[in-house]
Amino acid sequence: MDALVVRDFHKSYGKHVGVDGISFNVKHGEIFGLIGPNGAGKTTTLRVLSTLLTVTSGDLVVYGKSVVKEPNEVRRIISYLPEDAGAYKNLTGRQYLDFIASFFANGEDRRKMVVRGIEISGLNERIDSKVDTYSKGMTRRLLISRAIMTNPRFAILDEVTSGLDVVNASEIRQIIKEMARSGVTILLSSHNMFEVEHLCDRVALINKGKIVAEGTPSDLKRRYNTTNLEDVFTKVVKG
Amino acid sequence: MSHILSLIKKELRELLTPATILPIVIVALLFASLGGLTGGAVEDALTAPPKIAMVNMDDGDFSQIYLDVLADFDDPLVFYSSEESDIEAALAEMKAEGAMATIVIGSDYSSTIENGSRANITIYWNMVGAGMFSSMSTAPVDMMIINVSTQTTHKLIESGMPGEDSGIITSPISYESTTFLGDKELVGVGPAEVSAFLQGQSFMMPLLIMIVIVMLGGIIISSMGQEKENKTLETLLTLPVSRTTIVSGKLIGSAIVGLIFAGVYMLGMNYYMEGLMSMAQDMELAELKLGITETAIVGLMVALAILCALGLCMILGAFAKNYKAAQSLTIPISFLAVIPFFVVMFTDFVNLPLMAQVVLFIIPFTHPMMAMNNMIMGNYELVYYGIAYLVAFNLATVMVTVRLYKSDILLTGLATTLSGGPLGRLMRKR
Ligand SMILES: Nc1ncnc2c1ncn2[C@@H]1O[C@H](COP(=O)(O)OP(=O)(O)OP(=O)(O)O)[C@@H](O)[C@H]1O
Ligand SMILES: [Mg+2]
């Protein structure tokens, strides 16, 4: 079964075109990567998929639920990590995780969800400090743990490890891999080709709102006759 | 030098955006129209000719002075009779014609003055409003009495029959007042006293409403601006809840804050009100106090108005891209609260021209502010229409807010959304 079906999806901001008709599928339990230069339309796609923005035309269907017709249903399935999100500054990390958990579980389940979130966040005793006092990377880890702890069926992660140090980033990648193994479908965007190559089962390269290449990382390398994804990226984008 | 220039240029570009300029333009326009409104009310009050009813049972020379003075004006008498039995008819005519007063002169008026005593007349005042300038509507009649009094003094001196008491000669007339306010008859009280009392009572409520709305507006809109600036909004909007739930949650949360505000102010006001109420007990003004039902109605309207304010703030807040933009967006809300406050304080809804009435009626905050006076005046219709309007207004704002939350405006801002829509196409054609 397809976890996500994107059909001829267009998105314009006023007269400015953000995404210019893309179609792709993501299979259940797959890690699918969107790559492409700045302004290509990655965030736009992820935001529409998260029901934050409306489509201009076309449709995106998550586990049989259309973002156009059933946005409330879609929100029950997904978890979205925005590319530069923040948390409420007056809450502590723990309070923030509990606030989010309250939308997904009750009682003992909710408590367990928060415990799991704290574990993923790796913030240890700082989890009880106010978000206001966190560094950029600490806030990012808090938000990643928030997106993952809710056991979504479909996780949408925009530039997931941006702002994290080498060790933290590799830890998060490990967590994402485990998630996928446990049956969560993941759609992520990244500018880190090393990350994409190691994490993603399949990749779509977007340029100027259109998909210009799609396949497994090894497929793409073979097709463009290179040894790494970075060169594929450069070749495709520079033409 | 060029450094400071580029800094100044950057600062201007950041500060002079449509979001900051528009509120200021609105404010300027509001000031202009407000000036026209209250200015007109004051002018009318001061230059209007006296319009009165009169029952003159005296057939002597001195009561003739009233008619002489009135003769300077164009048809000021709506009713005239010399029969005591016509007083009721005179009062009825005064109310029907919207005249300012009914003057009743007793049959012994001239003889009393001739005997060197001070003559007493009775004035029934017809108070048509309760604002600060409403008591001014009595000014022409007061002027007329002063005029009559002066001429009476002249006449006394000229005719060489001054009594012993110089105080009586310089002030030969006294009067007793009875004031009609709405359906209430206040015996022994003049319009000035009534006005002073009403002001004490009806000034604080509008002030309270205004303060709460202005402060609340600031808080809500800023909180929306902050959600965007701190990038928490996107996460909030992807949680598994409907937009209606999110909007309601924000509304109810801020309504609680608003009620706490109002409660704290009320507590402080209570002390002040108690003082006023004890004053009312001593005087014939007790009839003007609000009963429990009336107080409950005012309370309901205040709550509804606070909800309206919240709804408006949610709508405006949706357009606030960040904290700075949010702050300038609170200005229109503040002005919507300040305008009815001043109008209610200075003049009266019923006395305004139709155009101004329409504008005021549309502003939801007008209704709780003028509710007290309207109930005192017996204008219950206006109160009930007000409540109906407030309820409708609330439903409309919730619907608009939910629609906005479902659209892209929250995340992309007004300009982007409009430029693609029919409005944007229209603007580009120009
Ligand atoms: N709010 C907006 N208003 C107008 N245009 C927008 C808006 N958001 C994005 N765009 C435009 O849509 C296009 C795609 O932007 P998007 O944010 O999806 O790019 P991206 O692939 O995520 O880039 P990056 O790698 O820099 O994050 C860009 O041309 C951008 O200018
Ligand atoms: Mg992006």
Side-chain angles (χ1 to χ4, degrees), chain A residues 34-203:
Chain A
L34 287 179
I35 57 175
N38 295 129
K42 304 181 293 293
T43 298
T44 302
T45 307
L46 300 186
R47 278 181 152 189
V48 172
L49 180 57
S50 315
T51 74
L52 285 172
L53 300 178
T54 54
V55 303
T56 302
S57 70
D59 203 351
L60 299 87
V61 181
V62 191
Y63 284 106
K65 309 289 180 197
S66 146
V67 297
V68 177
K69 293 193 209 89
E70 307 150 285
N72 287 339
E73 300 297 317
V74 171
R75 279 197 283 276
R76 267 187 254 282
I77 300 171
I78 59 149
S79 178
Y80 172 54
L81 174 72
E83 65 186 330
D84 60 344
Y88 297 102
K89 294 198 185 308
N90 278 323
L91 299 184
T92 64
R94 185 193 299 275
Q95 286 168 338
Y96 178 70
L97 292 180
D98 186 56
F99 167 72
I100 299 291
S102 70
F103 292 94
F104 294 89
N106 290 313
E108 185 60 16
D109 289 347
R110 172 167 160 188
R111 205 189 57 78
K112 276 190 192 148
M113 195 178 277
V114 174
V115 168
R116 186 168 126 80
I118 293 173
E119 202 179 300
I120 300 169
S121 78
L123 285 167
N124 302 321
E125 79 285 350
R126 290 300 303 277
I127 196 72
D128 288 312
S129 307
K130 286 214 167 158
V131 171
D132 214 7
T133 67
Y134 287 2
S135 74
K136 185 170 105 189
M138 288 165 78
T139 309
R140 193 68 187 159
R141 279 207 70 143
L142 180 72
L143 289 163
I144 292 171
S145 61
R146 175 234 102 201
I148 292 175
M149 72 175 185
T150 59
N151 305 313
R153 284 170 76 185
F154 197 111
I156 303 160
L157 310 172
D158 202 353
E159 298 186 24
V160 56
T161 54
S162 83
L164 294 187
D165 66 45
V166 178
V167 176
N168 270 315
S170 126
E171 259 179 56
I172 294 298
R173 281 197 280 275
Q174 205 49 47
I175 293 170
I176 292 174
K177 271 211 160 127
E178 278 160 27
M179 274 173 80
R181 232 173 274 137
S182 70
V184 180
T185 310
I186 294 163
L187 177 62
L188 57 82
S189 86
S190 180
H191 286 299
N192 182 339
M193 290 307 120
F194 165 82
E195 174 171 295
V196 173
E197 208 167 332
H198 283 255
L199 216 48
C200 297
D201 301 312
R202 280 193 304 139
V203 179

Side-chain angles (χ1 to χ4, degrees), chain B residues 42-79:
Chain B
V42 176
E43 207 172 310
D44 285 355
L46 292 179
T47 58
K51 209 174 162 197
I52 60 173
M54 202 163 169
V55 176
N56 182 9
M57 293 167 268
D58 178 69
D59 49 11
D61 292 343
F62 283 100
S63 60
Q64 193 60 37
I65 295 174
Y66 289 87
L67 298 174
D68 294 344
V69 168
L70 286 174
D72 286 346
F73 297 98
D74 179 27
D75 201 16
L77 279 177
V78 298
F79 185 92

Side-chain angles (χ1 to χ4, degrees), chain B residues 16 18-31 328 331-332:
Chain B
L16 291 180
T20 57
I21 293 170
L22 200 67
I24 293 168
V25 172
I26 294 173
V27 166
L29 286 176
L30 287 179
F31 260 125
S328 55
I331 296 175

Side-chain angles (χ1 to χ4, degrees), chain B residues 153-187:
Chain B
T153 305
H154 287 174
K155 195 174 164 92
L156 275 172
I157 295 170
E158 277 161 18
S159 63
M161 49 175 173
E164 272 98 72
D165 193 333
S166 63
I168 292 179
I169 294 170
T170 50
S171 167
I173 310 169
S174 68
Y175 65 80
E176 268 162 23
S177 294
T178 287
T179 303
F180 292 98
L181 181 64
D183 52 2
K184 297 191 173 63
E185 180 176 351
L186 304 160
V187 181

Side-chain angles (χ1 to χ4, degrees), chain B residues 182-259:
Chain B
D183 52 2
K184 297 191 173 63
E185 180 176 351
L186 304 160
V187 181
V189 187
E193 287 162 277
V194 173
S195 189
F197 174 79
L198 286 184
Q199 225 113 77
Q201 180 174 275
S202 62
F203 169 77
M204 288 311 278
M205 181 54 71
L207 183 68
L208 173 90
I209 296 170
M210 187 191 75
I211 292 175
V212 169
I213 286 171
V214 168
M215 292 197 59
L216 208 57
I219 290 179
I220 312 301
I221 298 186
S222 309
S223 108
M224 292 288 297
Q226 258 169 350
E227 288 250 17
K228 291 187 193 177
E229 193 154 306
N230 298 339
K231 310 269 182 191
T232 48
L233 188 66
E234 288 184 45
T235 307
L236 188 68
L237 293 178
T238 53
L239 292 177
V241 282
S242 70
R243 295 291 189 258
T244 319
T245 312
I246 289 182
V247 170
S248 313
K250 273 207 175 289
L251 268 180
I252 294 169
S254 15
I256 292 171
V257 175
L259 289 179

